Amino acid sequence: MPRREGMERKDLLKANVKIFKSQGAALDKYAKKSVKVIVVGNPANTNCLTAIKSAPSIPKENFSCLTRLDHNRAMAQIALKLGVTAKDVKNVIIWGNHSSTQYPDVNHAKVKYQGKEVAVYEALKNDSWLKGEFISTVQQRGAAVIKARKLSSAMSAAKAIGDHIRDIWFGTPEGEFVSMGVISDGNSYGVPEDLLYSFPVVIKNKTWKIVAGLPVNDFSREKMDLTAKELTEEKETAFEFLTSA
């Protein structure tokens, strides 16, 4: 169920918990245990977690939610700023929730620029933009699209879903990682367990793995914790509704 004007996020959660509880139960009963489930409907992370909880016989790892649209938007912003194509940018990360608290991170991103591959920070030489306007533009892009076309993203969302599925099916290219909302269990970034959180992942043999051990500076830590806090609160609210749904 889409968010309508005047709706609180809590109202949206309440409506969607019922939907994703029944979807999860149906998957649990009728789907192959090897099914791959991608949740796009918002709030996508918590809807996905609701489906996981309602489908206990299907491995948690088979569920993911879409943060590839945000990932693609982040690459596009960098590409526009440098006058290259989005294909020349790799290893941006979307951490956390598919909401305005998400953290688009380019500390580990690389770009093909002037004939060589360099770090995005080095190519741009504009730290204040990367730590300010770039982040807020990616965070608010969905709202900007709705304002412009009176409807949410369509073609760009479809393209992102295609990218997400293609990478699950064929794997990620060597030396590259992509962003995907997955279960946080066993991550090396201090994100609480049992959250559906967007991480950098590599995919091989249709199995994703969180990229471990990337250095996290204080600026990133604060942003990553903030979006984890929102997800924890959303999860608590959803589970209250889940028990009564």
Side-chain angles (χ1 to χ4, degrees):
M1 177 178 161
R3 189 170 182 170
R4 302 213 171 94
E5 216 169 326
M7 272 180 94
E8 293 285 325
R9 203 166 168 90
K10 200 167 180 173
D11 301 327
L12 190 66
L13 265 173
K14 189 171 186 177
N16 277 305
V17 158
K18 288 179 183 165
I19 294 168
F20 282 86
K21 183 181 181 181
S22 63
Q23 294 287 328
L27 284 161
D28 200 53
K29 195 170 175 184
Y30 299 111
K32 282 184 180 179
K33 301 311 170 199
S34 59
V35 67
K36 302 287 186 191
V37 182
I38 298 142
V39 175
V40 179
N42 285 317
N45 300 58
T46 303
N47 285 347
C48 189
L49 191 63
T50 303
I52 287 174
K53 296 294 179 188
S54 308
S57 71
I58 297 169
K60 292 178 189 177
E61 296 73 29
N62 291 16
F63 290 80
S64 57
C65 86
L66 191 76
T67 53
R68 186 59 171 267
L69 179 52
D70 311 299
H71 180 101
N72 287 351
R73 285 167 172 165
M75 291 197 305
Q77 290 300 318
I78 298 296
L80 282 167
K81 199 81 171 165
L82 287 169
V84 298
T85 72
K87 277 186 177 170
D88 294 322
V89 184
K90 70 176 188 185
N91 296 354
V92 302
I93 303 168
I94 303 296
W95 297 100
N97 200 359
H98 176 61
S99 75
S100 59
T101 67
Q102 64 173 259
Y103 169 43
D105 175 9
V106 292
N107 283 295
H108 312 286
K110 299 266 199 302
V111 59
K112 280 183 196 155
Y113 189 59
Q114 295 173 344
K116 58 181 195 282
E117 191 173 89
V118 290
V120 164
Y121 264 90
E122 198 185 308
L124 263 169
K125 296 182 175 62
N126 190 341
D127 292 15
S128 62
W129 182 78
L130 283 170
K131 288 183 171 178
E133 195 187 328
F134 162 72
I135 292 173
S136 57
T137 299
V138 177
Q139 286 175 335
Q140 303 293 338
R141 194 67 178 168
V145 170
I146 289 171
K147 196 175 175 194
R149 65 187 296 265
K150 308 293 177 261
L151 293 164
S152 59
S153 313
M155 197 64 204
S156 55
K159 168 73 167 67
I161 295 162
D163 292 343
H164 182 113
I165 294 169
R166 184 194 62 226
D167 285 342
I168 287 175
W169 196 257
F170 293 110
T172 44
E174 195 63 42
E176 288 188 34
F177 47 75
V178 293
S179 306
M180 204 178 263
V182 295
I183 197 74
S184 63
D185 298 359
N187 76 86
S188 64
Y189 296 105
V191 175
E193 301 276 298
D194 204 36
L195 285 182
L196 214 290
Y197 191 99
S198 182
F199 289 98
V201 302
V202 289
I203 306 162
K204 199 174 179 182
N205 301 327
K206 303 188 178 62
T207 305
W208 58 262
K209 191 175 169 210
I210 295 170
V211 177
L214 293 171
V216 172
N217 59 30
D218 291 345
F219 179 83
S220 295
R221 182 77 270 159
E222 195 180 314
K223 301 271 186 212
M224 288 160 70
D225 289 349
L226 186 74
T227 192
K229 182 174 179 282
E230 182 184 57
L231 278 170
T232 303
E233 286 164 6
E234 267 188 27
K235 174 187 163 179
E236 285 164 6
T237 305
F239 284 15
E240 277 169 36
F241 294 140
L242 194 58
T243 50
S244 59

